[in-house]
Amino acid sequence: MARRQLPIGIQSFRRIREQDCYYVDKTPHIQRLVDMGDFYFLSRPRRFGKSLLVDTLRELFEGNEPLFRGLDIHEHWDWSTKHPVVRLSFGGKYDEPGDLEQSITNQLAIIERNAGLDPAKPPCSGPERLRDLLDRLHHATGRQVVVLVDEYDKPILDVIDHPEMATANRDYLRGFYGIIKDSPQDVRFVFVTGVSMFSRVSLFSGLNNLRNISLDPNYATICGYTDRDLDTVFAPELPGLDRDEIREWYNGYHWLGDEKLYNPFDLLLLFETRNFEAHWFETGSPTFLFRMMMERGMSPMELEQRTTDARKLSRFDVGDIGIDALLFQTGYLTITSEERRGHRTLYTLDYPNFEVLQSLNDGLLGYITGPENGVADQGDELGRLLVDNDFNGFADRLKSFFAGIPYQWQGTNSPARYEAWYAGMLYACFRTIGLDLRVEDSSGRGRADMVVLHGGQVFVFEFKMTDGEGNGKSVAQSAIEQIQSKGYAEKYRDRGEPIHLVGVAFSRDARNVSAVKVVSA
């Protein structure tokens, strides 16, 4: 099989097909969508192929048959029936008053012109112009209109830090989208995509007949690539790349289907550069997420194996954004398991892959300490000191690291949260350099706070907090005794590697480490 052009950054279905780029056939999913309903909503993280999916739908309903030759849907589609399409995309910037309405006005004017329709007569608001356009397209062609909306939520997310403007944009869009439901005689099919799942009450009350397929197993792979896609469609790109390393770095997104997924942007950049890097993560800065975590005193350790319920995953609205919803919908956590308890559905969330795990922790520490502090260098040095069994040097380096954390990010009113937060900073340091570690590591009689497997050795950590510095040594000793009494290290005996028990005492008064004690087991 010959190599083809990589469709990096190409969101045009026509261009991909005409230039003979690699293409993963998503038309079986599209066929199911059209056969099973008319109004749909899909949420996926950025760079996951939503815009290409929307453009594929446009080309299909417009009846551009040559583009679909060789694809699954070609023999099952009525090419004699063509529908007018209203495609709206909110990929611009919306951080000034009037930006949103201007964007809508411009887009509707272009659609009118391309359809050969006279411009709507002013004064005419965006919603009124949409209603008029749907009616005129229907009557001009004799066919109902297909409405496709890409990045529906960007005008809100752009100004989410400014609640008044975010609310104004949300309310405007609510009225605008409501026109679609109020025009059933003119509309054949509706598909709306975005990153977030805003509350239906707040944004889609006017379009409450949308079916949300974001967590429908039947459509779990409608965007993204599977392992099977790599081994078939992209087989010519695999020689010279370690298949297991590809899977570790980039695979793992899961929306309740049978398969895990890769972000297309990651793989296409990997195939081009042949380097394992944080391709997807580096295209966006989750500053809003970092700030929310810090304001809520959330430890990065709490992101692993995080239990939540279905309601929390959709709790997203201006002024009321749930941390679980934000982490999941933006792609920094994904679903690893599902459990039904009575009338509740519980999900376990975790990092989808190594790229996100490493990059998110690196970004968080950089946000807290400042990029000039060399987060990765700190982690490398701490890891080296552990391997060298220089535990005094490890304690000194750890104190120096915590001393560099700005005061406003330190501490919390809850002692337990304080302990978890500071332990989380060390955890993030280790994750940044890719160390193999376990958090809340279960044994027969309890759970170790953290276990690090590094340099052919095992380090079992227990963290405790003290109100002053004077009893730091005794508190660290107490942590060691807990590890011993609970047998946290026993499960690692069969590895035949040196085992070290590490007790770390944090001082709430000093806002730093007060003592570190290490015992070889």
Side-chain angles (χ1 to χ4, degrees):
M1 186 185 300
R3 297 180 71 178
R4 296 184 175 187
Q5 181 178 338
L6 295 165
I8 299 172
I10 301 178
Q11 300 173 351
S12 165
F13 178 73
R14 174 178 293 277
R15 183 177 169 190
I16 285 176
R17 298 294 287 167
E18 290 182 343
Q19 295 183 3
D20 195 30
C21 299
Y22 289 108
Y23 176 69
V24 175
D25 189 358
K26 299 297 183 179
T27 62
H29 294 298
I30 292 175
Q31 184 76 64
R32 177 191 285 268
L33 283 174
V34 178
D35 290 345
M36 301 299 291
D38 301 320
F39 293 78
Y40 294 98
F41 169 78
L42 175 70
S43 167
R44 286 293 184 269
R46 58 188 167 82
R47 298 283 190 166
F48 233 93
K50 301 185 296 297
S51 297
L52 176 59
L53 177 63
V54 167
D55 197 59
T56 306
L57 283 163
R58 179 181 66 84
E59 297 284 4
L60 185 67
F61 277 106
E62 288 181 347
N64 294 314
E65 178 266 342
L67 300 178
F68 293 86
R69 291 173 186 171
L71 300 182
D72 185 85
I73 204 169
H74 185 265
E75 301 304 318
H76 310 289
W77 191 259
D78 180 6
W79 297 106
S80 65
T81 301
K82 300 183 179 183
H83 290 269
V85 175
V86 171
R87 179 184 177 179
L88 299 168
S89 177
F90 294 102
K93 294 187 69 176
Y94 302 91
D95 50 6
E96 296 291 339
D99 285 350
L100 175 56
E101 185 159 9
Q102 186 62 52
S103 172
I104 287 175
T105 298
N106 291 342
Q107 292 189 68
L108 295 180
I110 292 172
I111 295 170
E112 290 167 349
R113 184 172 65 249
N114 291 342
L117 301 176
D118 292 332
K121 297 179 180 179
C124 188
S125 69
E128 292 170 340
R129 193 164 188 169
L130 176 62
R131 187 194 304 274
D132 176 73
L133 177 60
L134 295 175
D135 176 74
R136 289 199 291 158
L137 283 173
H138 184 190
H139 285 87
T141 63
R143 300 287 184 185
Q144 289 178 300
V145 183
V146 171
V147 180
L148 307 173
V149 183
D150 193 20
E151 297 190 79
Y152 86 100
D153 50 352
K154 193 171 184 296
I156 307 172
L157 297 180
D158 274 1
V159 290
I160 200 69
D161 281 343
H162 306 282
E164 289 187 6
M165 186 176 293
T167 300
N169 284 355
R170 180 200 64 190
D171 292 346
Y172 183 91
L173 287 172
R174 178 169 54 199
F176 182 75
Y177 295 139
I179 295 299
I180 301 171
K181 184 183 178 183
D182 291 343
S183 307
Q185 71 282 358
D186 299 318
V187 175
R188 162 66 180 88
F189 183 87
V190 176
F191 193 76
V192 179
T193 74
V195 170
S196 58
M197 290 185 281
F198 271 89
S199 165
R200 290 194 182 192
V201 174
S202 71
L203 184 55
F204 287 131
S205 57
L207 190 55
N208 57 10
N209 55 340
L210 284 178
R211 178 184 168 193
N212 187 351
I213 60 171
S214 304
L215 290 178
D216 186 333
N218 293 312
Y219 301 102
T221 59
I222 196 169
C223 290
Y225 299 153
T226 66
D227 265 323
R228 185 172 61 253
D229 296 330
L230 263 67
D231 293 331
T232 54
V233 177
F234 294 101
E237 301 295 329
L238 296 178
L241 295 171
D242 187 302
R243 192 67 181 79
D244 290 333
E245 191 173 8
I246 297 174
R247 189 175 291 111
E248 177 186 5
W249 262 82
Y250 302 119
N251 193 25
Y253 289 97
H254 184 241
W255 287 280
L256 302 185
D258 295 330
E259 298 179 90
K260 294 180 179 179
L261 291 154
Y262 297 86
N263 184 304
F265 188 77
D266 267 327
L267 289 186
L268 296 177
L269 264 293
L270 170 66
F271 294 149
E272 181 186 53
T273 66
R274 318 302 286 182
N275 292 323
F276 289 90
E277 297 175 358
H279 301 297
W280 171 77
F281 191 91
E282 291 174 355
T283 63
S285 176
T287 303
F288 182 74
L289 170 61
F290 294 155
R291 184 167 66 253
M292 181 182 288
M293 289 179 64
M294 293 302 96
E295 289 173 350
R296 300 185 183 187
M298 185 176 183
S299 164
M301 294 175 70
E302 298 176 66
L303 301 186
E304 294 195 24
Q305 296 295 304
R306 184 175 180 84
T307 301
T308 189
D309 63 32
R311 291 172 299 177
K312 290 182 179 179
L313 288 190
S314 59
R315 186 185 145 205
F316 203 103
D317 196 5
V318 178
D320 184 27
I321 299 177
I323 190 71
D324 291 333
L326 183 62
L327 286 161
F328 171 67
Q329 293 176 28
T330 51
Y332 298 111
L333 295 184
T334 197
I335 296 172
T336 58
S337 65
E338 178 186 15
E339 180 184 354
R340 188 73 179 175
R341 289 186 189 173
H343 299 293
R344 300 175 65 204
T345 298
L346 298 181
Y347 298 118
T348 299
L349 305 180
D350 209 336
Y351 298 105
N353 49 46
F354 178 74
E355 177 201 13
V356 177
L357 182 153
Q358 181 188 45
S359 300
L360 188 66
N361 281 283
D362 183 71
L364 176 62
L365 283 182
Y367 175 77
I368 294 170
T369 65
E372 69 279 358
N373 286 335
V375 171
D377 292 340
Q378 295 272 12
D380 282 333
E381 182 65 8
L382 288 167
R384 183 192 65 78
L385 292 166
L386 282 181
V387 171
D388 292 346
N389 294 171
D390 183 356
F391 300 119
N392 289 330
F394 175 81
D396 291 340
R397 171 65 68 167
L398 196 57
K399 290 178 181 178
S400 175
F401 169 65
F402 285 133
I405 297 177
Y407 180 88
Q408 65 268 27
W409 295 132
Q410 299 187 42
T412 171
N413 292 328
S414 165
R417 299 291 297 167
Y418 182 93
E419 175 187 310
W421 193 89
Y422 270 78
M425 295 301 99
L426 176 58
Y427 157 91
C429 258
F430 287 156
R431 281 302 193 199
T432 293
I433 61 170
L435 294 195
D436 185 2
L437 59 83
R438 315 284 187 270
V439 175
E440 294 291 322
D441 188 55
S442 297
S443 63
R445 288 177 286 172
R447 294 183 299 183
D449 286 338
M450 187 166 69
V451 176
V452 177
L453 309 177
H454 184 46
Q457 302 178 65
V458 179
F459 303 89
V460 183
F461 283 82
E462 189 67 24
F463 305 106
K464 291 187 176 296
M465 193 188 76
T466 173
D467 287 332
E469 293 196 57
N471 60 345
K473 292 183 179 179
S474 62
V475 171
Q477 176 62 37
S478 173
I480 295 289
E481 293 170 358
Q482 179 174 328
I483 297 173
Q484 293 169 329
S485 65
K486 298 293 186 180
Y488 294 155
E490 297 309 307
K491 63 191 292 185
Y492 296 98
R493 295 286 180 193
D494 291 343
R495 295 175 65 94
E497 298 174 340
I499 298 176
H500 308 279
L501 315 182
V502 185
V504 181
F506 296 113
S507 169
R508 186 175 182 181
D509 294 339
R511 295 178 177 269
N512 209 315
V513 174
S514 60
V516 175
K517 184 173 180 62
V518 182
V519 173
S520 296

